Amino acid sequence: MNENNFRHGYVIKPVRNMGSRGVMHLQNSNELAFGFEFALSFSLDPSVIVEEYVPGSEYSIDVLCHNKKTWCVGLADREIERAEDRFFVETGHNMPSAAPPEIQKEIIDIMDRFAASLSTLGDFPYQGPLKGDIRERENGEIIVGEIASRLSGGFMSTHTYPLATGIDLMDTYLNLLSLANSTESNTGSFSEKKFKKVFNNSDNELYKKNVIERALIAEPGILEKIVIPENLETFSVTNSFVHYSQGEWISPVKNNIGKTANFIIVAKDLETARENWSRLKEQIIIETAFRTLSKKEIRKESKKKFNPAVCWVCVECDGIHCASGVPGMGGAGNQETFRKNSLDLKKIVIEPSYIQKESQKNRNENTPPDLSLQIFGQNLKMPVLGAPITGAKTNLGSSITEYDYAMETSVGLANSGSLAMFGDGASADKYFVAMEAISRHGGIFIAKPRLDQDEILKRASAALEAGATAWGIDIDSVGIQTFRNRKTATSRKTESELAELKNHISLPFIVKGIMTINDADLACKAGAHAIVVSNHGGRILDMLPSTVSVLPEIAKHIKQNYPEVVILADGGIRTGSDIFKMISLGADAVLIGRPLAIATIAFGRFGAESLFRNLKNELESIMVNLGIADFAAIRGSVDLLG
């Protein structure tokens, strides 16, 4: 890729590919790692193809080959749209092609020469179908995308071609196979003479009508309503296919699979067919909406999709019964630190108070509490952010790709009125997918404490360019197993090194991995805008204290000495009551890690958004019961904890 700098970038795809599954547009070799992982996730063969991306007109051609002769039995113009600027989705095709005759002749000639080459290689004439995907560059040059020994899928062979020509292509193909296997080529009901008569035409004489196929793609969500006009014949629609029923989830479309509906339209010319489609689209009503998924639904679906080698999706994610250590979803050593985070949170109880103070007597308890707050200049709807998780292959067991995890969490959390954090994995290019997600949906970047400060600063600059809200460093990742496995050098940072990182760019700077007052003090002296009280979910060292046990003293010290510094905390937070406890004990907001991975693997962006909505509802319920009106008042409710 570096030796062939194509102006429009590259396409990566599986060797075994149908329906554009696993096909992704890459700008440069920096994106190769997550592109490779994405493409490979759709392939049975452990190989991918990287090729030049050729923008321009695209054609699909079918030919039938018999006795060293090829007959063009279909040439169509393909309609291709881009999803997320990465994926190629076919939204329809037109038949016959409107390409100039010289272009059509060149495309047919390519197929003739390819069939001849197959015959030469096989020492006997190739008999059967060939399907070609052909692109025409902006300068008119014809490029072969791929040629396959089959007829076109979708609706081209089965619907648009028969309607445009009056010829049953599938029946003709089966008869050709019969001819190829027959010792006497002119026997049977379908002779070679008849075959030649059917297809020995030129200048589009074969086509009697113009036929187009068009796809309808709905917004992701629950299909609440779809209304298709009953009088489809007035739009010259011969066939319609609706692929979803009311109440079903419609996922984001990233390939040719999952489109909401397809329509076949027949008309006297291409312009009329297109006009009919435009009129029909105006009368189609399709509505999707988001529905908050329950914890039970999320767990049930995640259990199906999560690789059991790394996560069993336990009823309670507390480390007591864990499928793996690190790498994986578990903790370090005997997982005592992982377990302590949850167990110590459980030991703290919320003491109810149902008798109102006189100052509250006019408060309407049906009014939802105000959970909004501002962090790093961003208005959040609740004091919860997504924790940084990387290593979809190693830590998530390839249950989702790195690209999809980053994109789906960033969309889901943005829709929830929150922010996602993105990490920096052991492989040098893991952070590229983080930059992609941040540039599209916002977020915070957390770098690993690499020995090479310049490597960290390079990532910080990329985060700034991508539009990150803030950035920081995971100081406790100095001993993380995945880095040791890859022999990637890390180091404990000094106050001056942290100050160098903080002063490099203007973004708010976060130091994550604080477990003592001393480290908190040094981070603040280095200029940190925020600290994260964290033991990395128990994934670095075993037998550490829980985060909730050290939070109160650290928070007290920070508020007394550095009141402008934001205090974040993570570790074992699973419910709204856990969030309430952490905020009461001094945190300004909390991070959610493992539950976010479980929810995203289950339902993508819908799972991530549902998780955060469920947490918000739980927290609001606690506040209503305790008579707490807004987020700021939680900070003064430590007396309600026992």
Side-chain angles (χ1 to χ4, degrees):
M1 290 175 71
N2 290 333
E3 291 171 0
N4 295 275
N5 186 22
F6 296 126
R7 181 163 61 99
H8 298 289
Y10 310 81
V11 172
I12 190 168
K13 61 186 180 183
V15 170
R16 299 184 185 183
N17 168 53
M18 284 283 285
S20 80
R21 296 174 181 90
V23 180
M24 180 184 276
H25 181 216
L26 307 179
Q27 294 292 343
N28 51 56
S29 61
N30 291 340
E31 300 172 346
L32 186 58
F34 66 75
F36 175 80
E37 182 186 359
F38 183 87
L40 209 60
S41 69
F42 289 86
S43 180
L44 297 175
D45 187 302
S47 308
V48 302
I49 298 170
V50 179
E51 59 192 25
E52 177 188 5
Y53 170 53
V54 181
S57 302
E58 186 160 338
Y59 307 97
S60 187
I61 182 172
D62 285 314
V63 301
L64 291 177
C65 305
H66 179 61
N67 284 350
K68 297 184 179 181
K69 172 68 177 175
T70 58
W71 282 269
C72 175
V73 295
L75 179 57
D77 304 326
R78 301 178 72 192
E79 306 263 340
I80 306 290
E81 291 185 5
R82 300 284 291 277
E84 296 182 13
D85 202 35
R86 287 280 185 194
F87 307 104
F88 305 95
V89 181
E90 184 172 357
T91 56
H93 63 267
N94 314 319
M95 186 175 284
S97 169
E102 61 272 17
I103 295 295
Q104 296 194 38
K105 183 179 183 303
E106 187 173 352
I107 293 172
I108 293 170
D109 181 60
I110 285 173
M111 302 303 286
D112 284 342
R113 289 187 284 117
F114 188 84
S117 72
L118 288 180
S119 299
T120 301
L121 288 169
D123 293 326
F124 57 86
Y126 173 73
Q127 309 276 30
L130 291 176
K131 185 220 62 150
D133 288 337
I134 311 294
R135 277 187 174 265
E136 178 189 357
R137 289 188 190 271
E138 296 162 334
N139 63 3
E141 181 186 4
I142 299 299
I143 300 294
V144 176
E146 62 184 38
I147 298 178
S149 56
R150 61 177 176 86
L151 290 173
S152 289
F155 297 95
M156 186 170 167
S157 301
T158 56
H159 289 76
T160 50
Y161 182 83
L163 287 168
T165 63
I167 298 170
D168 187 329
L169 183 58
M170 304 307 291
D171 182 64
T172 303
Y173 166 46
L174 293 173
N175 276 294
L176 174 63
L177 293 181
S178 177
L179 278 175
N181 294 322
S182 173
T183 55
E184 298 182 20
S185 60
N186 291 319
T187 60
S189 61
F190 192 87
S191 65
E192 184 172 344
K193 182 178 179 181
K194 182 178 180 182
F195 180 81
K196 291 179 179 178
K197 183 179 180 182
V198 168
F199 295 111
N200 195 16
N201 293 284
S202 59
D203 300 326
N204 280 348
E205 291 177 8
L206 193 64
Y207 299 101
K208 307 296 188 287
K209 299 174 183 175
N210 278 262
V211 184
I212 67 172
E213 177 262 322
R214 290 293 184 270
L216 189 68
I217 301 175
E219 287 295 314
I222 288 283
L223 181 59
E224 290 199 329
K225 185 178 184 181
I226 182 165
V227 178
I228 309 293
E230 293 183 359
N231 58 333
L232 288 176
E233 66 278 359
T234 63
F235 303 96
S236 302
V237 173
T238 60
N239 303 86
S240 62
F241 308 88
V242 179
H243 309 299
Y244 290 89
S245 301
Q246 187 172 331
E248 288 187 310
W249 282 103
I250 296 180
S251 298
V253 173
K254 296 181 180 179
N255 49 52
N256 291 339
I257 313 303
K259 288 172 276 195
T260 311
N262 296 82
F263 300 87
I264 312 295
I265 297 175
V266 180
K268 61 181 180 180
D269 53 51
L270 180 58
E271 183 180 356
T272 303
R274 284 174 167 165
E275 288 175 357
N276 286 343
W277 171 238
S278 296
R279 290 191 301 111
L280 175 58
K281 276 200 302 185
E282 291 177 357
Q283 296 197 28
I284 294 174
I285 300 172
I286 182 164
E287 297 175 2
T288 57
F290 175 79
R291 173 179 70 80
T292 303
L293 294 149
S294 69
K295 288 184 176 181
K296 185 176 181 180
E297 287 176 300
I298 289 172
R299 180 176 173 271
K300 182 179 179 181
E301 189 65 20
S302 192
K303 203 168 182 65
K304 296 177 187 175
K305 296 178 179 178
F306 222 132
N307 184 343
V310 298
C311 185
W312 291 331
V313 193
C314 300
V315 174
E316 196 165 358
C317 182
D318 54 12
I320 293 176
H321 303 287
C322 200
S324 70
V326 182
M329 290 289 283
N334 292 324
Q335 313 210 45
E336 290 294 333
T337 307
F338 178 8
R339 286 193 280 269
K340 279 182 184 179
N341 281 336
S342 294
L343 292 174
D344 285 357
L345 265 170
K346 284 182 183 178
K347 292 175 183 177
I348 301 171
V349 297
I350 300 172
E351 297 178 347
S353 175
Y354 296 116
I355 299 177
Q356 293 189 85
K357 297 177 182 179
E358 288 300 320
S359 60
Q360 296 176 317
K361 64 181 181 180
N362 293 321
R363 172 169 166 73
N364 182 356
E365 301 302 337
N366 290 325
T367 303
D370 182 6
L371 284 171
S372 63
L373 72 158
Q374 190 174 83
I375 290 182
F376 312 128
Q378 297 289 310
N379 294 314
L380 305 185
K381 291 183 179 179
M382 62 184 299
V384 185
L385 297 87
I389 295 177
T390 57
K393 184 176 180 180
T394 53
N395 292 320
L396 303 181
S398 298
S399 308
I400 191 171
T401 67
E402 200 79 35
Y403 182 89
D404 277 336
Y405 185 79
M407 293 302 148
E408 295 303 301
T409 54
S410 61
V411 173
L413 269 58
N415 291 342
S416 306
S418 182
L419 281 172
M421 285 188 175
F422 301 96
D424 170 23
S427 57
D429 44 13
K430 272 288 194 297
Y431 80 99
F432 287 117
V433 73
M435 297 305 107
E436 171 91 0
I438 289 171
S439 67
R440 291 180 180 276
H441 309 294
I444 297 169
F445 175 65
I446 303 295
K448 296 300 182 190
R450 298 171 185 274
L451 176 64
D452 188 342
Q453 288 276 98
D454 289 339
E455 278 295 313
I456 301 175
L457 295 176
K458 181 175 74 173
R459 286 158 170 72
S461 297
L464 176 65
E465 186 177 347
T469 297
W471 86 284
I473 184 170
D474 244 339
I475 58 170
D476 59 357
S477 291
V478 67
I480 197 164
Q481 182 67 44
T482 50
F483 270 61
R484 295 204 303 269
N485 291 347
R486 284 183 173 265
K487 296 179 172 55
T488 303
T490 58
S491 68
R492 294 173 54 168
K493 297 301 177 184
T494 65
E495 181 184 331
S496 62
E497 286 175 320
L498 291 177
E500 179 189 13
L501 297 176
K502 181 265 177 187
N503 294 326
H504 180 64
I505 58 175
S506 57
L507 287 175
F509 180 61
I510 303 167
V511 178
K512 182 176 180 288
I514 301 296
M515 287 295 288
T516 65
I517 290 175
N518 183 62
D519 277 0
D521 198 65
L522 291 173
C524 292
K525 285 179 179 178
H529 296 88
I531 63 166
V532 184
V533 179
S534 170
N535 56 28
H536 215 97
R539 294 171 58 76
I540 304 296
L541 285 176
D542 213 357
M543 301 306 296
L544 293 181
S546 64
T547 52
V548 72
S549 67
V550 301
L551 173 63
E553 289 302 316
I554 293 174
K556 181 180 178 181
H557 178 81
I558 295 296
K559 294 304 177 185
Q560 287 177 350
N561 298 282
Y562 310 97
E564 73 285 355
V565 172
V566 175
I567 302 171
L568 306 174
D570 66 13
I573 300 166
R574 305 290 183 258
T575 64
S577 62
D578 292 337
I579 299 169
F580 181 82
K581 294 171 189 177
M582 286 292 206
I583 302 298
S584 298
L585 293 170
D588 293 306
V590 302
L591 312 184
I592 299 288
R594 291 179 177 94
L596 179 59
I598 289 168
T600 305
I601 285 171
F603 289 101
R605 63 193 63 182
F606 307 128
E609 185 173 354
S610 293
L611 169 68
F612 273 59
R613 286 197 182 195
N614 285 327
L615 291 171
K616 186 172 186 287
N617 291 338
E618 291 171 358
L619 184 53
E620 286 178 345
S621 177
I622 293 168
M623 294 171 68
V624 167
N625 272 273
L626 300 180
I628 299 173
D630 54 38
F631 165 74
I634 300 178
R635 298 296 296 275
S637 60
V638 69
D639 58 317
L640 296 175
L641 301 182

